[in-house]
Amino acid sequence: GFVLREAVGLARLKRLGELQARARAALDSGATAGDAAAGDEVVAALEQLYSARPELEWALAGFRERRRAQLDPADQLDLFETHVLRPLDKDATHAIAAAARRTTAATAISPFAWLDMVASFTINLALLGRIARIYGGRPGRIAGLRLLRLSFTNVLAAGAIDLADDTFGDLLGASFAARLSTRAGTGVLNGLLTARLGLAAADLCRPLPWRMTQRPAPRALMKRALLHLGRRH
């Protein structure tokens, strides 16, 4: 049962990546008959992926009603992103901000560095699993670790660690950042890294590229997390 569950998790994660690649190819291609057929296949696969989600029933119904007037496959994919994926994007954004807030708080109050690592790893792994489930995946332990590795690779490729150092002062203000304790400052940086990991996972699990919906900015998510944390205290 464990092997079967892990195999299904890996297969669903792979399916999301393949759907995104096929959608990207359909969006970048011309308007030939073959491209139109490929676009229709992607739309059908997307509908099948989310057909069993009761919370998306109304969104899918609205998409099907409006797609009749959209003959171009690219327009249909954009319409699907607007009506069906946008609510999922909001759920993913809330999950990322909440995880960044938990990472910041856990690091700020933790007395040991090794405890920071354990808390951050646990929160990040749970976040990536939730994002995969939001977009249609069901990752097991192996699939979750694979997603974590891919997300961290994407973050490092974007130079996120350097960007975190550069944007820390801009995030809170240089004067305020200078008065923060070392633990609080480390917590904010860890929270920002969690936000970047979450967005990288969304990039990997989202079956369509970001077009009609603007990709959230890590700093904006971190600001939301800090403001919510401040209101709670």
Side-chain angles (χ1 to χ4, degrees):
F2 172 79
V3 172
L4 180 61
R5 184 169 60 251
E6 295 299 326
V8 170
L10 287 170
R12 291 181 72 91
L13 190 61
K14 182 180 179 182
R15 180 188 180 189
L16 291 174
E18 291 175 347
L19 262 177
Q20 186 186 103
R22 290 167 57 191
R24 195 179 299 275
L27 290 169
D28 293 340
S29 62
T32 64
D35 296 328
D40 290 337
E41 291 178 359
V42 174
V43 172
L46 288 170
E47 288 188 87
Q48 182 181 6
L49 177 65
Y50 295 117
S51 60
R53 301 274 290 270
E55 72 274 16
L56 295 178
E57 182 178 352
W58 284 100
L60 284 170
F63 164 74
R64 294 186 181 111
E65 181 180 352
R66 290 169 176 79
R67 70 173 292 191
R68 301 169 186 170
Q70 305 292 339
L71 300 180
D72 191 339
D75 293 337
Q76 292 187 29
L77 291 174
D78 289 343
L79 191 67
F80 190 92
E81 181 183 6
T82 300
H83 284 274
V84 182
L85 286 190
R86 188 162 290 175
L88 302 182
D89 293 334
K90 291 182 179 179
D91 291 341
T93 299
H94 291 323
I96 294 171
R101 182 169 59 250
R102 288 194 296 271
T103 301
T104 301
T107 303
I109 65 177
S110 172
F112 305 110
W114 63 268
L115 194 57
D116 297 347
M117 295 175 60
V118 173
S120 297
F121 177 80
T122 303
I123 294 172
N124 290 334
L125 191 60
L127 169 64
L128 301 193
R130 173 157 175 72
I131 289 175
R133 288 190 293 273
I134 287 174
Y135 287 114
R138 293 179 183 174
R141 296 177 183 175
I142 297 177
L145 291 174
R146 174 176 172 78
L147 182 58
L148 179 62
R149 179 180 64 83
L150 293 174
S151 300
F152 196 71
T153 301
N154 287 0
V155 168
L156 289 180
I161 304 300
D162 293 335
L163 287 175
D165 291 333
D166 292 339
T167 58
F168 177 58
D170 296 336
L171 184 66
L172 297 176
S175 59
F176 181 67
R179 293 194 297 267
L180 281 175
S181 68
T182 303
R183 301 305 303 165
T186 303
V188 172
L189 291 179
N190 284 348
L192 186 57
L193 179 58
T194 295
R196 291 186 179 278
L197 280 173
L199 287 173
D203 293 340
L204 293 169
C205 295
R206 201 174 189 268
L208 291 177
W210 300 91
R211 275 170 57 95
M212 305 304 292
T213 303
Q214 184 178 2
R215 184 181 186 271
R219 284 198 298 171
L221 294 178
M222 194 60 210
K223 285 182 179 179
R224 180 191 304 182
L226 292 175
L227 288 175
H228 190 277
L229 185 64
R231 286 197 297 267
R232 290 182 61 183
H233 294 282

